């Protein structure tokens, strides 16, 4: 039994993965911004209006304003840092995951993995963070 089709890869699927990758890079780059307006600008490009976020430290929050506030408030907890995506997001059926690294000038780096869901416009509708 052959699990791999003999036809060429689905170009539409590949293009969508590139679009999802761009969404995730926009999202993680928002965590590198320090000004609320800059964060909100990036979040507005990649976050669905009803998008929700949660992790083990954060109750579920909803919407672009709430995730923007969380990102800005995280500077009080973590201080300056740079978020990096460690590998291409893995995606299927309107969901995926990606690994990231937060590098701080002082202290140890923090590695994490986020599970995400997205809508038909490739905007994030849900993130569950693990770190």
């Amino acid at each position: 039994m052959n699990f791999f089709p003999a036809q060429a890869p689905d170009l539409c699927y590949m293009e969508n993965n590139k679009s999802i990758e761009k969404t995730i890079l926009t999202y993680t780059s928002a965590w590198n911004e320090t000004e609320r307006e800059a964060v909100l600008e990036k979040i507005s490009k990649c976050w669905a209006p009803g998008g929700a976020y949660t992790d083990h430290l954060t109750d579920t929050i909803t919407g672009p304003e709430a995730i923007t506030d969380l990102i800005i408030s995280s500077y009080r907890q973590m201080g300056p840092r740079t978020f990096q995506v460690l590998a291409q997001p893995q995606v299927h059926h309107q969901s995926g995951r990606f690994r990231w690294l937060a590098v701080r000038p002082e202290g140890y780096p923090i590695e994490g993995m986020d599970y995400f869901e997205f809508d038909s416009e490739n905007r994030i509708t849900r993130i569950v963070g693990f770190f």
Side-chain angles (χ1 to χ4, degrees):
M1 178 176 254
N2 183 2
F3 291 102
F4 302 100
Q7 64 194 31
D10 182 356
L11 293 178
C12 194
Y13 177 78
M14 290 171 56
E15 285 301 314
N16 192 54
N17 279 353
K18 291 286 183 195
S19 182
I20 293 299
E21 186 175 335
K22 183 178 177 183
T23 295
I24 296 305
L25 290 173
T26 300
Y27 169 72
T28 54
S29 71
W31 285 84
N32 294 329
E33 298 292 345
T34 57
E35 300 296 323
R36 188 176 196 289
E37 296 77 24
V39 173
L40 185 57
E41 179 181 342
K42 288 185 176 185
I43 290 298
S44 295
K45 292 177 182 176
C46 65
W47 201 262
Y53 175 94
T54 192
D55 61 36
H56 73 277
L57 299 175
T58 306
D59 289 334
T60 300
I61 60 170
T62 305
E65 296 282 340
I67 189 68
T68 297
D69 291 341
L70 176 68
I71 292 169
I72 293 299
S73 71
S74 72
Y75 278 93
R76 289 190 293 272
Q77 297 168 342
M78 282 186 80
R81 75 296 170 125
T82 302
F83 276 88
Q84 304 168 2
V85 177
L86 294 177
Q88 278 186 311
Q90 295 177 308
V91 177
H92 66 82
H93 297 95
Q94 301 299 113
S95 64
R97 67 181 181 166
F98 66 96
R99 293 179 36 241
W100 52 264
L101 185 69
V103 179
R104 301 181 300 167
E106 297 177 11
Y108 60 91
I110 299 172
E111 187 172 341
M113 191 272 308
D114 286 0
Y115 164 82
F116 66 97
E117 296 173 359
F118 54 95
D119 63 16
S120 61
E121 297 177 31
N122 294 333
R123 296 176 302 177
I124 298 167
T125 58
R126 179 177 182 214
I127 284 191
V128 179
F130 297 88
F131 52 93

